[in-house]
Amino acid sequence: MEFMDQLRAPLYEALLQFKAKKPYSFHVPGHKNGMILPYKELEVYQSLLSIDLTELTGLDDLHDPSGIIQDAQQLAAAYYGAKHTYFLVGGSTLGNLTMILSSCNEGDTVLVQRNCHKSVINGLTLAKVKPVFITPQIDKESRVATGITVDMVKAAFAKYPDAKALIITNPNYYGMTMNLTAVIEAAHDYEIPVLVDEAHGAHFGVGEPFPASAVSQGADLVVQSAHKTLPAMTMASYLHFNSKLLNRGRVETFLNVLQSSSPSYPIMASLDAARAYLAKLTNDDLLEIDSDIQSFRSALNQQLSHIKVIEKGKSYTFLDPLKITIQSQCTLTGFEMQRILERQGIYTELADSHNVLMIMPLARFKDGSIIIEKIKHAFEKIPLGMSEQKQGSVPFELEPFTEIEIPHHKMDNYEVTFILLKDAENTISAQDVIPYPPGIPVIINGERINKHHIQLCRELIEAGARFQGDAENGITRIKVVNTPH
Amino acid sequence: MEFMDQLRAPLYEALLQFKAKKPYSFHVPGHKNGMILPYKELEVYQSLLSIDLTELTGLDDLHDPSGIIQDAQQLAAAYYGAKHTYFLVGGSTLGNLTMILSSCNEGDTVLVQRNCHKSVINGLTLAKVKPVFITPQIDKESRVATGITVDMVKAAFAKYPDAKALIITNPNYYGMTMNLTAVIEAAHDYEIPVLVDEAHGAHFGVGEPFPASAVSQGADLVVQSAHKTLPAMTMASYLHFNSKLLNRGRVETFLNVLQSSSPSYPIMASLDAARAYLAKLTNDDLLEIDSDIQSFRSALNQQLSHIKVIEKGKSYTFLDPLKITIQSQCTLTGFEMQRILERQGIYTELADSHNVLMIMPLARFKDGSIIIEKIKHAFEKIPLGMSEQKQGSVPFELEPFTEIEIPHHKMDNYEVTFILLKDAENTISAQDVIPYPPGIPVIINGERINKHHIQLCRELIEAGARFQGDAENGITRIKVVNTPH
């Protein structure tokens, strides 16, 4: 495909042309091209609703594309180097469900990186497979879970030669990447397809200083949240197919099942426009974007003694420039830092006990000095020096591979009960226990709880970790399968 | 809940208040509150992107609501009279999948109205149930499939006493409704839950002259496409839970599995605002809306000899005022009429061989005379008088109940092949065969093909029906399960 062609956004342009006709709507949606506003202050909706259209003549059909949607998808495939790209209007959640359902059959053994998104777990449950979880590495400085190594993957294939798929999450939430090429090559040596949740890496592949996408590294299926780092609407994602091992028809079958039969045109068109935006970024643009971010990182480090910026660690291969993780060097937890920044109008992506994650724009960033001043102001009355809690670091060690005793889809057949965590040894957990950091489950739903799990939870609580899940029962009590006495 | 309370739109209002703070975004989405536009003419997106937010402090969480989303959902539940209402960001497709997965277990017998949406079929496939299809009635004048009768439903319960759910589609696409109260009462006498796809009836329950919603008629679960007839964004739907027979926790489990973990705030807020819009409509407003539509209907009938407006028929209980079906009285098919109207800038919802469906706004409609003039102009050179084809009417008779021999989720295990339809007797179909009109499958995927099916297809082709599905093989060839000789 020609470079000039990549500057087009055929789907988005067709919607604008349709709008320019000032058509009369006797069709859905009920807002009639934005003529009917449900609420008096709804002007914020009006202009977009003029392109919130449906499968009218000339506007193609996501579920059977042959016109502008096909054209837009083909441009995206060419840009990323995929055999085929599908536009998703239900987010990467929908992409992960589709990847798993279309690659696995009921009862299959599937290898899964343990620090995966909940939609991966939900996909495994829907597909009724037998997951084997691979424990990732932990980054010492940020204390977050990163990726898995090629040695781990090879050991997994040796131990589970009948595995039908390998499911990877790369990069992690904090922008840390693994040696994906080697992992994929190892899997392909065993003819095992690799499904990559690249939700946080839709901008990967745009060029230096950003890393390559999993698509160009040989992954079979890759899902990307365009809305996370590209200028696309929330729920806009890409699913790339690039496999010699998998059946594309089956992917399309599940997309037809799971995607709305009335997909949102503004979301689809934002996928088209976001790809055109990437195509238009020159090397100089990327260097300028990177330079702005590096200046901001330096200023954060040099001008603010309350925080330090996390630099690239050894347990991963690359740190995405768009992610800046700042770690508390004062008495505040990450959660408290996040709240204090919000009072200054600064909204960040994520906090854990120690860190706050900021996501930078894939565009020039000129507000650095304003932001630095606001952060200074936010922290001015906070004492320096870490609390005792934050100084502790727990050696987070789990067995390399974990099988679960009761697959998630069979959990409905069991009675469950809440017991004290300290009494839970040798019971089967009926919930995940996920501390932040590192954001990787200590215990997985369906896994048998051992003495080490309980000890690790205790140490993590003492080190200040927070636990996702049931707020009331938290981590003093845990939901387990009720076994008869 | 107080009436005044229903005028609030707490979710939408909170987004506007958040926007007014002019916050700095270091979080997803990547457009940074609309500051980054991916394409030079993208102003149409900009204002809406300022509220395309994410789960920030104060903005609640669709998957665990406790603030503005909970408040907005409770207002919707109170308005419709449901125990609980869930906001859907993946359309009624997502609602139908959730209803079925949360009500049925693998292997269950489920009674299903045969003229259902494909998402119902997909839900049955995902849930791996055994569907029994109930044949609906046909409206003579429009020739479209309508609803099922209470006698049919009672006969079904007598024949299939182990059925675990009854799945209804009401109204049909053309706004025709069945006697739903009686059908639901009959099912509840057998303690069978009733799931209603009310996608086309989100405005039902607003008051006279519109009919009551399935929610107030006692249905257990009801899905409504707010985007179809209310002023909400495409993919905005409600799922109402009102059951004594079903488990609400299971509904929430599947919503958590199937809905995006990054749900669209503009779509959610449009559900909130659309409910507030309904609440604000007074009886006088509704009478004026109806009066505008009735005037337009009369003018269409009286001033245009090329068409007639379909009046309420005997095979259904109610005709939704928002749906106007016009039938060709000239040499044009419905499809041709639709194309000719489009050349005048008039875009309609649907065409079949004989009819064109127009969806009217749930708001004052003042453009009637302009539209009539445009339609007159569109048709002026078209000869009057029906073609021979259109005069024919096929008695569309199927057995009242149909079981399928191979459930959809097992179809993958079989080899399939295309053969001539005329040779297909006694084979098992591997596809649906759906003629429009009446929009009800003559043959269902997995059903054994008999002599009558083939004869009916032949008659429908002669009468000018079109068939959905494989364009090339159409209806001369059909995909069937390959049985060894």
Side-chain angles (χ1 to χ4, degrees):
Chain A
M1 192 124 5
E2 297 282 326
F3 168 70
M4 288 300 292
D5 214 39
Q6 282 288 342
L7 303 184
R8 296 189 301 125
L11 174 53
Y12 175 64
E13 289 158 9
L15 296 185
L16 284 192
Q17 282 159 15
F18 190 85
K19 164 185 156 69
K21 291 186 203 168
K22 298 191 192 302
Y24 279 94
S25 166
F26 290 96
H27 53 76
V28 300
H31 56 63
K32 304 296 171 187
N33 303 342
M35 300 298 286
I36 302 174
L37 289 184
Y39 211 62
K40 66 178 188 292
E41 300 90 349
L42 269 177
E43 305 90 51
V44 68
Y45 275 87
Q46 195 158 29
S47 70
L48 192 79
L49 294 185
S50 66
I51 63 160
D52 186 35
L53 292 161
T54 188
E55 289 75 13
L56 300 169
T57 304
L59 299 188
D60 209 0
D61 177 354
L62 178 65
H63 291 284
D64 187 18
S66 62
I68 53 175
I69 295 175
Q70 183 184 48
D71 194 5
Q73 289 189 152
Q74 284 175 348
L75 284 166
Y79 182 81
Y80 283 100
K83 283 184 191 160
H84 207 91
T85 295
Y86 300 95
F87 284 0
L88 307 181
V89 296
S92 293
T93 294
L94 202 146
N96 280 330
L97 298 180
T98 301
M99 285 204 300
I100 295 168
L101 285 166
S102 62
S103 311
C104 308
N105 290 310
E106 187 164 345
D108 281 354
T109 296
V110 179
L111 302 171
V112 187
Q113 185 178 329
R114 191 169 175 123
N115 56 329
C116 61
H117 188 258
K118 69 171 182 177
S119 59
V120 170
I121 301 291
N122 289 334
L124 301 170
T125 308
L126 267 189
K128 304 189 177 182
V129 297
K130 273 175 55 188
V132 174
F133 293 97
I134 306 179
T135 299
Q137 298 191 285
I138 308 281
D139 174 54
K140 272 198 181 157
E141 195 182 7
S142 60
R143 307 180 194 180
V144 306
T146 59
I148 54 179
T149 64
V150 66
D151 291 339
M152 288 284 282
V153 168
K154 284 179 180 169
F157 295 147
K159 188 167 180 190
Y160 302 97
D162 59 340
K164 292 297 190 298
L166 170 64
I167 306 176
I168 298 285
T169 302
N170 190 67
N172 72 358
Y173 215 131
Y174 298 81
M176 301 157 181
T177 70
M178 68 179 77
N179 184 352
L180 197 59
T181 304
V183 166
I184 292 168
E185 278 173 6
H188 286 176
D189 283 346
Y190 285 78
E191 301 216 328
I192 291 175
V194 182
L195 322 182
V196 180
D197 177 357
E198 196 174 60
H200 296 279
H203 57 303
F204 285 12
V206 67
E208 294 276 347
F210 298 98
S213 165
V215 181
S216 64
Q217 293 180 77
D220 295 81
L221 279 168
V222 180
V223 63
Q224 297 177 321
S225 293
H227 60 92
K228 283 191 169 57
T229 52
L230 308 185
M233 285 188 81
T234 300
M235 298 208 305
S237 293
Y238 301 114
L239 177 61
H240 304 291
F241 181 92
N242 223 10
S243 186
K244 289 174 187 160
L245 300 168
L246 298 171
N247 177 350
R248 185 155 78 81
R250 212 171 142 180
V251 172
E252 293 179 3
T253 296
F254 281 101
L255 286 176
N256 280 327
V257 168
L258 297 172
Q259 294 234 77
S260 173
S261 62
S262 303
S264 163
Y265 272 83
I267 292 177
M268 290 191 279
S270 80
L271 284 162
D272 188 29
R275 187 268 318 144
Y277 176 79
L278 285 178
K280 278 188 282 186
L281 289 174
T282 63
N283 287 342
D284 285 348
D285 291 335
L286 293 172
L287 289 177
E288 284 172 351
I289 289 170
D290 188 44
S291 165
D292 289 347
I293 296 173
Q294 296 311 326
S295 302
F296 182 57
R297 284 177 72 95
S298 300
L300 283 168
N301 247 339
Q302 287 164 17
Q303 298 183 37
L304 296 167
S305 43
H306 287 77
I307 57 160
K308 72 168 178 181
V309 176
I310 298 288
E311 301 299 336
K312 195 202 145 307
K314 283 180 185 163
S315 76
Y316 54 96
T317 58
F318 200 91
L319 183 59
D320 177 6
L322 291 192
K323 303 290 180 87
I324 298 180
T325 302
I326 58 177
Q327 194 165 70
S328 173
Q329 301 291 300
C330 60
T331 52
L332 300 177
T333 66
F335 301 105
E336 290 163 345
M337 283 190 0
Q338 188 180 42
R339 289 291 174 273
I340 281 182
L341 292 175
E342 286 174 1
R343 281 184 223 140
Q344 299 297 318
I346 297 170
Y347 286 80
T348 58
E349 176 65 18
L350 182 80
D352 63 37
S353 306
H354 316 296
N355 309 301
V356 168
L357 173 63
M358 304 173 84
I359 304 187
M360 301 302 293
L362 188 67
R364 297 302 302 268
F365 176 68
K366 294 293 179 195
D367 291 334
S369 49
I370 301 169
I371 301 296
I372 297 279
E373 286 311 307
K374 282 179 178 281
I375 301 180
K376 266 188 194 163
H377 182 66
F379 289 162
E380 64 188 355
K381 292 182 181 159
I382 310 295
L384 289 176
M386 279 181 284
S387 65
E388 258 181 51
Q389 264 194 1
K390 273 187 279 128
Q391 290 175 40
S393 177
V394 177
F396 192 96
E397 281 169 11
L398 290 173
E399 287 170 42
F401 309 119
T402 323
E403 295 176 52
I404 53 179
E405 298 216 357
I406 304 175
H408 299 158
H409 65 277
K410 292 198 175 150
M411 205 45 99
D412 265 1
N413 303 337
Y414 294 86
E415 277 191 35
V416 296
T417 184
F418 280 95
I419 62 171
L420 290 171
L421 178 66
K422 69 181 180 62
D423 302 329
E425 190 182 340
N426 217 24
T427 62
I428 294 173
S429 181
Q431 66 168 78
D432 297 323
V433 177
I434 310 181
Y436 285 88
I440 156 180
V442 176
I443 303 167
I444 289 178
N445 190 7
E447 189 175 1
R448 191 171 288 279
I449 300 169
N450 62 33
K451 198 180 284 184
H452 176 63
H453 291 143
I454 297 170
Q455 179 62 20
L456 187 54
C457 287
R458 196 169 295 151
E459 289 170 9
L460 285 162
I461 294 166
E462 283 169 14
R466 304 263 182 119
F467 288 81
Q468 192 189 48
D470 192 297
E472 277 192 75
N473 294 287
I475 198 54
T476 51
R477 285 155 68 81
I478 184 170
K479 190 161 72 173
V480 298
V481 171
N482 206 358
T483 40
H485 293 283
Chain B
M1 190 124 5
E2 297 282 327
F3 169 71
M4 287 301 290
D5 214 39
Q6 282 288 341
L7 301 185
R8 297 188 301 126
L11 173 54
Y12 176 63
E13 289 158 9
L15 297 186
L16 283 192
Q17 283 160 16
F18 190 86
K19 164 184 156 71
K21 291 185 203 168
K22 298 190 192 301
Y24 279 95
S25 166
F26 291 96
H27 53 78
V28 300
H31 55 65
K32 304 297 173 187
N33 303 341
M35 299 298 286
I36 304 175
L37 289 185
Y39 210 63
K40 66 177 189 290
E41 301 89 350
L42 268 177
E43 304 91 50
V44 68
Y45 275 86
Q46 194 157 30
S47 70
L48 192 80
L49 294 185
S50 66
I51 63 161
D52 186 37
L53 293 160
T54 187
E55 290 74 14
L56 301 169
T57 305
L59 299 189
D60 209 1
D61 177 355
L62 178 66
H63 291 284
D64 187 18
S66 63
I68 52 175
I69 295 175
Q70 183 183 49
D71 194 4
Q73 288 189 154
Q74 284 174 349
L75 285 166
Y79 182 80
Y80 282 100
K83 284 184 187 159
H84 207 90
T85 294
Y86 300 95
F87 284 0
L88 307 181
V89 296
S92 294
T93 294
L94 202 145
N96 280 331
L97 298 180
T98 301
M99 284 205 300
I100 295 168
L101 285 165
S102 63
S103 310
C104 308
N105 291 309
E106 188 165 343
D108 282 354
T109 295
V110 179
L111 302 171
V112 187
Q113 185 179 330
R114 191 169 176 124
N115 56 330
C116 60
H117 188 257
K118 70 171 182 176
S119 60
V120 170
I121 301 290
N122 289 334
L124 301 170
T125 308
L126 268 187
K128 303 187 178 183
V129 298
K130 272 174 53 187
V132 174
F133 293 96
I134 305 179
T135 299
Q137 297 191 285
I138 309 279
D139 174 54
K140 273 198 182 158
E141 195 183 6
S142 60
R143 308 182 195 178
V144 307
T146 59
I148 53 179
T149 65
V150 67
D151 291 338
M152 289 283 282
V153 168
K154 285 179 179 168
F157 295 146
K159 188 166 180 190
Y160 302 97
D162 60 340
K164 291 298 188 298
L166 171 65
I167 305 175
I168 297 287
T169 303
N170 188 68
N172 71 358
Y173 214 131
Y174 298 81
M176 301 158 182
T177 71
M178 68 179 78
N179 184 353
L180 198 58
T181 304
V183 166
I184 293 169
E185 279 173 6
H188 285 176
D189 283 346
Y190 284 78
E191 301 216 328
I192 292 176
V194 182
L195 322 182
V196 181
D197 177 357
E198 196 175 60
H200 296 278
H203 58 301
F204 285 11
V206 68
E208 295 275 348
F210 299 98
S213 165
V215 181
S216 65
Q217 293 180 75
D220 295 81
L221 278 167
V222 179
V223 63
Q224 296 176 321
S225 293
H227 61 91
K228 282 191 169 56
T229 52
L230 308 185
M233 284 186 81
T234 300
M235 299 209 302
S237 292
Y238 301 114
L239 177 61
H240 304 290
F241 180 91
N242 224 9
S243 184
K244 291 175 186 159
L245 300 169
L246 298 171
N247 176 350
R248 185 154 78 82
R250 212 170 142 181
V251 173
E252 293 179 4
T253 296
F254 281 101
L255 285 176
N256 280 327
V257 168
L258 297 172
Q259 295 234 75
S260 173
S261 62
S262 302
S264 163
Y265 272 83
I267 292 177
M268 289 192 280
S270 81
L271 284 162
D272 189 28
R275 187 268 318 142
Y277 176 79
L278 285 178
K280 278 190 282 189
L281 289 174
T282 63
N283 288 342
D284 285 349
D285 291 336
L286 294 173
L287 289 177
E288 284 172 352
I289 289 169
D290 189 44
S291 164
D292 288 348
I293 296 172
Q294 296 312 327
S295 302
F296 182 56
R297 284 178 71 96
S298 301
L300 283 169
N301 247 340
Q302 286 164 18
Q303 298 183 36
L304 296 166
S305 42
H306 287 75
I307 57 159
K308 72 169 178 181
V309 176
I310 298 288
E311 301 298 335
K312 196 201 147 308
K314 283 181 184 165
S315 76
Y316 54 97
T317 58
F318 201 90
L319 183 59
D320 177 7
L322 293 191
K323 302 290 180 84
I324 298 180
T325 302
I326 57 177
Q327 194 164 69
S328 173
Q329 301 291 302
C330 59
T331 52
L332 300 176
T333 67
F335 301 105
E336 290 163 344
M337 282 187 4
Q338 187 180 42
R339 289 291 174 275
I340 281 183
L341 292 175
E342 285 173 2
R343 280 184 224 142
Q344 300 296 318
I346 298 170
Y347 285 80
T348 58
E349 176 64 19
L350 183 79
D352 64 36
S353 306
H354 316 296
N355 308 302
V356 168
L357 173 64
M358 304 173 84
I359 304 187
M360 301 301 293
L362 188 66
R364 297 301 303 266
F365 177 68
K366 294 292 182 198
D367 291 334
S369 48
I370 301 170
I371 300 297
I372 297 278
E373 286 311 308
K374 282 177 177 284
I375 301 180
K376 266 188 196 165
H377 183 65
F379 289 162
E380 63 188 356
K381 291 184 183 159
I382 309 295
L384 288 175
M386 279 180 283
S387 65
E388 257 180 54
Q389 266 196 359
K390 273 188 276 128
Q391 290 176 41
S393 177
V394 178
F396 193 95
E397 279 170 14
L398 291 173
E399 286 170 44
F401 310 119
T402 323
E403 296 176 53
I404 54 180
E405 298 216 359
I406 305 175
H408 299 158
H409 64 278
K410 292 197 176 153
M411 204 47 97
D412 265 0
N413 304 337
Y414 294 85
E415 276 192 36
V416 296
T417 186
F418 280 95
I419 62 171
L420 289 171
L421 178 67
K422 70 181 180 61
D423 300 330
E425 189 181 340
N426 218 24
T427 63
I428 295 173
S429 181
Q431 67 167 76
D432 297 324
V433 177
I434 310 181
Y436 285 88
I440 157 181
V442 177
I443 303 167
I444 289 179
N445 190 7
E447 188 175 2
R448 191 171 289 277
I449 300 169
N450 62 33
K451 197 180 286 185
H452 176 62
H453 292 141
I454 297 169
Q455 179 61 21
L456 188 52
C457 287
R458 195 168 296 151
E459 289 170 8
L460 285 162
I461 294 166
E462 282 168 14
R466 304 261 182 120
F467 288 81
Q468 192 188 49
D470 192 298
E472 277 193 75
N473 295 288
I475 197 56
T476 50
R477 284 156 69 82
I478 184 169
K479 190 161 69 173
V480 299
V481 171
N482 206 356
T483 41
H485 293 284

